[in-house]
Amino acid sequence: KRYGLIDKSGKIIIPPQYNELNYFTDKLVRTRHNNQYELFDTQGNIISDKYDFIGNIDYGFAKIKQKDKYGLMDKNGKIIIPCEYNDILTLTKEPDLIAVKKDNQWGFVDKNNHTVIPFVYEQVWHFHNGFAKIRNNQQYGIIDLTGKIIIPASYQWLSDANEQGV
């Protein structure tokens, strides 16, 4: 009742000692054992530390969790955003700004963990075509990549911008 990884010839690459094993298209393997996650490459080399959680690899990055705080690492195991946030959104095609939650407020940081858009929103969504939906006081609006308010948070609902920016 344990999982491992073998190559085409039957050679054991990762011993069958894990409760869970997931293979990703980036030729990475995520394992779980005793509620700890690690990343391996397909040669069996460990490429990450152990974490309480490692998410899917999206656009070369994975959401990680350690001691109830979230961060982000790249597919080589390098920490991009340290585990210091209450939450973090997984990445999309536009990973230049990363949505993170700190002290119950959402904002955006860059890949160097510098705050680009302050932590002033009760909810944020991913950027699409340079715009992100935000929510404050249960009202929705739109901001641009600099944090400039394009549509004030004064609507009961707004959909995400489509490919044409509408």
Side-chain angles (χ1 to χ4, degrees):
K1 296 187 177 183
R2 300 280 188 228
Y3 295 91
L5 186 71
I6 60 172
D7 66 13
K8 292 178 185 177
S9 70
K11 177 184 170 198
I12 294 177
I13 304 299
I14 299 174
Q17 60 190 22
Y18 297 96
N19 301 100
E20 180 181 324
L21 187 140
N22 302 97
Y23 178 78
F24 297 113
T25 56
D26 288 339
K27 297 184 179 179
L28 296 173
V29 178
R30 177 182 62 198
T31 62
R32 181 181 60 84
H33 183 67
N34 294 332
N35 294 319
Q36 291 286 291
Y37 291 77
E38 285 180 285
L39 279 184
F40 289 82
D41 64 20
T42 52
Q43 283 72 49
N45 301 309
I46 298 172
I47 62 169
S48 78
D49 291 334
K50 292 182 180 181
Y51 294 97
D52 297 337
F53 174 77
I54 297 175
N56 291 336
I57 308 293
D58 294 317
Y59 301 100
F61 299 91
K63 179 178 181 176
I64 55 175
K65 180 181 178 184
Q66 192 72 346
K67 297 179 183 173
D68 292 326
K69 297 289 183 177
Y70 291 91
L72 191 71
M73 75 174 169
D74 69 14
K75 64 182 181 179
N76 299 314
K78 178 184 174 199
I79 300 300
I80 303 301
I81 305 294
C83 293
E84 60 185 37
Y85 295 102
N86 302 112
D87 203 354
I88 188 169
L89 292 183
T90 55
L91 295 181
T92 64
K93 293 179 192 176
E94 298 184 47
D96 292 335
L97 292 182
I98 301 150
V100 293
K101 186 177 185 182
K102 181 179 181 180
D103 300 326
N104 276 337
Q105 296 290 304
W106 286 89
F108 290 86
V109 297
D110 62 19
K111 290 181 185 174
N112 295 314
N113 200 27
H114 297 120
T115 301
V116 176
I117 299 173
F119 298 91
V120 295
Y121 300 105
E122 65 186 38
Q123 184 65 52
V124 297
W125 283 258
H126 294 293
F127 276 95
H128 296 286
N129 299 315
F131 300 101
K133 183 169 57 173
I134 52 96
R135 184 181 74 207
N136 263 345
N137 300 316
Q138 299 298 315
Q139 299 289 303
Y140 296 85
I142 301 285
I143 61 173
D144 69 10
L145 290 165
T146 67
K148 179 182 173 190
I149 295 173
I150 303 302
I151 298 174
S154 58
Y155 294 92
Q156 292 176 342
W157 179 253
L158 287 172
S159 64
D160 292 326
N162 64 18
E163 294 298 318
Q164 292 77 32
V166 178

